[in-house]
Amino acid sequence: MALASVVATLGPMGTDAHAEAQRHFDQVILTDTFSAAVEAALQQQTYALVAAGFVERDGAGVITRGWVDLHFRVLGRLEVADTWMAPTKQMCLASHPAAGVLRSVALHPATQVFADTFAPAADRRYVDAKPAAVQLAARGEVDGCIGSVDVATQAGLTVREVFEPTMV
């Protein structure tokens, strides 16, 4: 698949959406949420790259929006141009170097299953993107996070588990 032009997607730099957008588009506009990416695409009359598995949760962990909600909300204003499957960047459970047992982890809501698998007893703190989860762990605000290996390593975290799912 080779689209040209401009796309809006989830930031900050370092998200899987950002990496995938750079592979297919000439210019990438980064937004705080996938919902904001869709709004930017509507305003600027361009593409939006939205991961089909995206989930938004509130601070208590309750699901507030998913792909289908976003898709149906813009019905008649945006249309699906293409879909494809791609590997994500390597993901990991990472921790602050001083952390022992992980009592708390930061994560993007779509990565809940990995927290359930690798840190089932840890309290969850949901954020809008994996790089934000990494920053919370790097600052010691949580013991660990589900993040991308490259971003976690760059932030000085200890990688505990590595996995690489695919995204649509």
Side-chain angles (χ1 to χ4, degrees):
M1 185 188 125
L3 294 174
S5 196
V6 179
V7 67
T9 196
L10 178 68
M13 291 176 59
T15 64
D16 288 305
H18 177 230
E20 192 64 15
Q22 286 185 306
R23 288 185 39 200
H24 299 284
F25 293 88
D26 298 327
Q27 182 183 349
V28 179
I29 300 166
L30 296 176
T31 62
D32 291 336
T33 65
F34 281 121
S35 296
V38 167
E39 291 304 319
L42 284 167
Q43 291 174 3
Q44 298 184 31
Q45 298 183 354
T46 190
Y47 292 103
L49 187 150
V50 178
F54 103 86
V55 177
E56 291 177 2
R57 295 182 189 259
D58 64 16
V62 176
I63 295 174
T64 58
R65 181 173 291 143
W67 184 88
V68 73
D69 303 307
L70 186 56
H71 172 63
F72 287 170
R73 193 179 82 216
V74 296
L75 188 63
R77 297 186 294 154
L78 281 181
E79 65 181 52
V80 175
D82 205 348
T83 59
W84 65 94
M85 183 179 73
T88 64
K89 299 190 305 180
Q90 283 189 321
M91 290 187 204
C92 64
L93 170 67
S95 63
H96 190 276
V101 173
L102 301 185
R103 295 176 313 279
S104 59
V105 293
L107 64 150
H108 183 276
T111 63
Q112 170 82 36
V113 68
F114 302 119
D116 292 346
T117 300
F118 299 115
D123 291 333
R124 300 335 190 225
R125 182 159 170 195
Y126 295 99
V127 295
D128 291 330
K130 290 192 311 280
V134 167
Q135 288 307 309
L136 289 176
R139 291 193 304 260
E141 294 180 36
V142 292
D143 297 323
C145 65
I146 303 294
S148 297
V149 170
D150 61 336
V151 177
T153 302
Q154 189 175 20
L157 299 181
T158 300
V159 173
R160 294 183 173 210
E161 299 283 345
V162 175
F163 39 94
E164 189 173 357
T166 56
M167 62 187 279
V168 177

